[in-house]
């Protein structure tokens, strides 16, 4: 039996490839939800720790980062529902999904072994945010995410140079610039 793609001329092949890229881009553009969910989660957690360190004598303000657990559950449920809606996930969809899953696993490992590097988690995680954000921006051809990824590298370097308390303020600002602004722009472009 002859495959339909065997009979495509060069222009039809290019049109098919362009169509697949547009479909993958459309699927990935729905990721604005994730940037907003995680952006707000991380901003709230960082600001919460900063304000608790600054204005209270709470022994372990870092427990506020437990709000990432419900966000992870929401992300998984949302992702499974999105996967059901996509009739044929593209390779770009899979790459993007596993890129972010890998990033999440790295963040989890950093949180577990933070004591090994004097709890300098924020600059490490903010710096790590650069790669999946930048790559997602490149795959989507969406400049705000590309700029967000670059900003994460810059903020990550700066955060290493400030005191622990200030790290939480700068990390919150980095996430506003790197996730929330691009996330809202991405959401707006979906409409």
């Amino acid at each position: 039996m002859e495959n339909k793609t065997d009979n495509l001329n060069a222009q039809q092949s290019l049109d098919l490839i362009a169509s697949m890229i547009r479909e993958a881009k459309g699927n990935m553009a729905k990721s604005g939800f994730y940037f907003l969910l995680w952006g707000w989660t991380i901003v709230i957690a960082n600001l919460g720790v900063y304000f608790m360190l600054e204005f209270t004598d709470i022994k372990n303000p870092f427990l506020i980062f437990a709000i990432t657990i419900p966000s992870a559950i929401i992300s998984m449920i949302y992702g499974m529902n999105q996967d059901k809606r996509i009739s044929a996930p593209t390779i770009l969809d899979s790459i993007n999904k596993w890129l972010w899953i890998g990033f999440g696993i790295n963040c989890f490992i950093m949180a577990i072994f933070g004591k090994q590097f004097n709890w300098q988690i924020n600059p490490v995680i903010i710096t790590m945010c650069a790669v999946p954000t930048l790559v997602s921006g490149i795959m989507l051809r969406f400049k705000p995410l590309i700029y967000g990824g670059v900003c994460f590298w810059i903020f990550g370097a700066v955060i290493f140079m400030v005191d622990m308390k200030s790290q939480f303020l700068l990390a919150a600002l980095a996430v506003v610039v790197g996730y929330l602004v691009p996330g809202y722009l991405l959401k707006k472009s979906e409409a």
Side-chain angles (χ1 to χ4, degrees):
M1 177 187 271
E2 196 172 322
N3 191 339
K4 287 183 181 181
T5 57
D6 292 343
N7 296 327
L8 295 179
N9 64 33
Q11 184 58 45
Q12 290 170 321
S13 295
L14 288 174
D15 290 343
L16 178 63
I17 292 168
S19 167
M20 290 172 65
I21 291 171
R22 277 192 304 278
E23 183 180 334
K25 189 174 178 180
N27 293 344
M28 288 181 355
K30 292 176 178 51
S31 62
F33 168 83
Y34 296 108
F35 289 106
L36 296 177
L37 171 69
W38 284 103
W40 282 112
T41 300
I42 301 304
V43 165
I44 290 167
N46 274 290
L47 290 178
V49 171
Y50 174 79
F51 286 113
M52 283 190 262
L53 287 172
E54 184 69 26
F55 301 111
T56 72
D57 57 353
I58 293 174
K59 299 256 186 253
N60 198 351
F62 310 105
L63 290 178
I64 195 169
F65 275 94
I67 67 172
T68 60
I69 296 167
S71 292
I73 293 167
I74 292 167
S75 286
M76 286 187 284
I77 292 168
Y78 183 82
M80 287 186 286
N81 287 334
Q82 287 299 105
D83 286 349
K84 289 176 187 173
R85 290 186 187 139
I86 298 171
S87 58
T90 66
I91 188 69
L92 290 179
D93 293 325
S94 295
I95 290 169
N96 194 48
K97 177 172 93 175
W98 286 103
L99 177 66
W100 284 101
I101 288 171
F103 168 72
I105 292 168
N106 283 341
C107 290
F108 182 71
I109 291 169
M110 293 294 115
I112 291 173
F113 295 103
K115 186 175 182 179
Q116 310 315 81
F117 47 96
N118 198 29
W119 297 109
Q120 294 289 312
I121 295 173
N122 257 341
V124 173
I125 289 180
I126 292 298
T127 303
M128 287 189 323
C129 284
V131 174
T133 305
L134 179 80
V135 171
S136 292
I138 291 168
M139 288 193 292
L140 287 169
R141 295 184 184 173
F142 191 66
K143 287 186 180 178
L145 275 177
I146 295 169
Y147 299 146
V150 171
C151 285
F152 276 129
W153 275 318
I154 294 166
F155 273 101
V158 171
I159 292 170
F160 268 115
M161 297 185 270
V162 299
D163 65 281
M164 180 70 83
K165 196 183 320 175
S166 299
Q167 288 183 3
F168 294 99
L169 275 180
L170 286 175
L173 181 59
V175 173
V176 167
V177 172
Y179 279 176
L180 290 179
V181 171
Y184 280 112
L185 292 172
L186 195 55
K187 197 84 168 146
K188 185 178 177 184
S189 74
E190 288 176 31

